[in-house]
Amino acid sequence: MPARPTESAIDRSRTSYGDDGFSTYLRRAFLASSGYDDEALDRPIIGIAVTKSDYNTCHRDMPALLEAVRRGVLEAGGLPMDFPTISLGEILTSPTTMLFRNLLAMDTEEMIRALPMDAAVLLGGCDKTVPAQLMAAASSDKPVLLEVVGPMMTGSWQGERLGACTDCRRFWGRHRGGELDESEITGVRNELVSTAGTCAVMGTASTMACLTETLGMMLPGGATPPAATGARLRHGAETGRRAVELARSGGPVPREILTPAAFRNAVRVLSAMSGSTNALVHLIAVARRAGVDLTLKDFDVIGADVPFLVDCKPAGSGYLEDFHRSGGLPALLKVLEPLLERETVGVSGKPLGSLIDESPAREDWQTTIRPLEDPLGAAGSLAVLQGTLAPRGAVIKSAAASPHLMNHTGPALVIDSAQDAQRILDDPDLDVTPDHVLVLRNAGPIAAGMPEAGALPIPAKLAQAGIRDMVRVSDARMSGTSYGTVVLHCDPESAAGGPIALVRDGDLIRLDVAARRLDLLVDEDELERRRADFVPPELPARGWRRLYAQTVLPASEGADLSFL
């Protein structure tokens, strides 16, 4: 563990004037205008990255969380200094926050490096903020802790409990199918998001919060306290106090925490929760930043013996507040203990085994977290597929798919872009049956920033006939709150000339989840003729989108930028 530098943080990372003494003198002069004297500035300085934004409603209560962290820093004798970074609100960002995940990671990494601080606390929550902050932390050389805003509470409509965003999709599907009129869907809409906080189910936000705690980059018990609770604020204050302790000791730094064993434990927890498919892309990106060789295939191998244990939507029936009341991530780790590697050490400074030993044993009332001997579902809740349609891999959340579609062969119905989907699928004269396989392409990282468009809506005429699921295949992602028989992240993507670019209407596609196969049943000679006609899409003209399209890695490698 590196020792803390003897020089005050405020006198390091100097502004470059060609005169270090002048830089220090000027810095302290300007800080004096904000009321800081030498006694304050010589304390351990904790930089706090803040992602508050009116465009990010999940982070609405972040000011209160920020004050809790600041209070903890002050209680421990440190000096809190907050700074803004990009805020990625999933719902209000076009075309998708995934396009900007790497930009937030760069922003955060560079600010940790450029601003004077002994340690950092990164405040996030909504889907891409936490993965970006983990990526930034993995590339930094200072102690870093993450703290999330926490999930929202549930609402109620006509006596039915509901919460964003699995229920958003379920009720919208009923509206598309003609079951709910405009007045009813408006009533649902006004209850879906009842408080501040991230989605109330095991979507990407809560999945990544739980994985962050598992990796050791968050203090125990931090993943699940709801945003509106005092438990969330108390954990924020604890995080502030611990940040000062890490600043004084000089570590551990993230790369000492983000070990191969820590990632293997995260994969096991992901499988037990049947968490978001997005987590595979994000964990690979963080691992690559940390110098850990984590591959897509590892998720299948490591998770092969881990049953599905957490009864939360979209794969289960409950909500994150239920998971929290059942003990949250520490209680799940207690159940998973026989499958975990106990020697990992995170920001708490204690080995995982010691933390598990300190947790109370699971009790029968904890129905949201099932015991290993009585799981909610079998192992393999997330499956990695390969085959002629996805030579470098694709992903399906099998725990949230329809059993009768897990081995299915059907004709393709091709949609060339997410922008065309609604027009095509709402056509009452569309030639489509429940046996068709809906194929969306030009939605991968290069082509479109990899939007959450993979869970295509059921064609309107079929939805009105009561069909609720079909096999869908794409190079896009889907929201962690989505469900259905949806194959995602096909690699290579269509814009890179992958086989998905060659699919034509009527081609037979075979999905066999048990065999981990996804195949295009077209002979190679015909595919070669089609390949000769393939024309890659034009790159964006300028700015971040052009840099992203030129340098983004494929989904199977984490979709980070190649030079990072």
Side-chain angles (χ1 to χ4, degrees), residues 388-391 410-416 436-442 473-475 490 492-494 497-510 518-522 526-531 534:
T388 57
L389 191 51
L413 192 159
V414 179
I415 299 169
D416 277 321
H436 270 84
V437 176
L438 305 183
V439 178
L440 172 66
R441 61 189 176 204
N442 296 311
V473 175
S474 76
D475 49 12
C490 282
E493 66 170 288
S494 56
I500 194 170
L502 310 179
V503 182
R504 294 183 180 174
D505 286 343
D507 289 348
L508 290 179
I509 293 174
R510 181 173 60 217
L518 179 68
D519 291 297
L520 176 61
L521 304 182
V522 176
E526 173 61 20
L527 292 179
E528 280 301 319
R529 284 191 288 272
R530 297 179 189 181
R531 198 171 282 116
F534 170 74

Side-chain angles (χ1 to χ4, degrees), residues 57-226:
T57 60
C58 298
H59 294 190
R60 187 192 76 194
D61 286 353
M62 187 170 283
L65 181 60
L66 170 62
E67 286 308 307
V69 175
R70 291 177 62 90
R71 172 165 50 84
V73 172
L74 291 169
E75 288 171 353
L79 176 63
M81 300 192 75
D82 58 83
F83 61 96
T85 63
I86 298 167
S87 183
L88 298 180
E90 191 68 32
I91 309 303
L92 293 173
T93 304
S94 176
T96 172
T97 53
M98 185 63 179
L99 178 63
F100 305 104
R101 182 201 66 177
N102 300 338
L103 186 60
L104 171 56
M106 290 177 67
D107 177 10
T108 307
E109 174 188 344
E110 295 298 340
M111 289 302 97
I112 292 173
R113 182 176 293 115
L115 299 175
M117 64 185 76
D118 293 293
V121 175
L122 311 181
L123 303 185
C126 192
D127 288 11
K128 307 307 174 295
T129 56
V130 173
Q133 290 170 334
L134 280 172
M135 293 163 70
S139 300
S140 74
D141 58 357
K142 296 174 183 175
V144 176
L145 299 89
L146 272 71
E147 179 69 11
V148 295
V149 295
M152 66 181 72
M153 307 294 284
T154 52
S156 176
W157 181 74
Q158 294 188 356
E160 181 178 357
R161 186 182 181 207
L162 75 170
C165 210
T166 300
D167 293 333
C168 307
R169 302 172 193 283
R170 178 168 60 89
F171 279 98
W172 185 253
R174 291 177 60 188
H175 176 59
R176 277 178 55 83
E179 295 181 39
L180 301 177
D181 62 23
E182 286 295 333
S183 174
E184 289 171 317
I185 196 65
T186 300
V188 170
R189 186 190 69 195
N190 290 336
E191 283 294 319
L192 281 166
V193 187
S194 61
T195 70
T198 55
C199 284
V201 299
M202 192 59 75
T204 303
S206 287
T207 297
M208 291 308 302
C210 290
L211 298 184
T212 300
E213 185 176 334
T214 304
L215 286 168
M217 291 300 297
M218 182 190 299
L219 288 178
T224 60

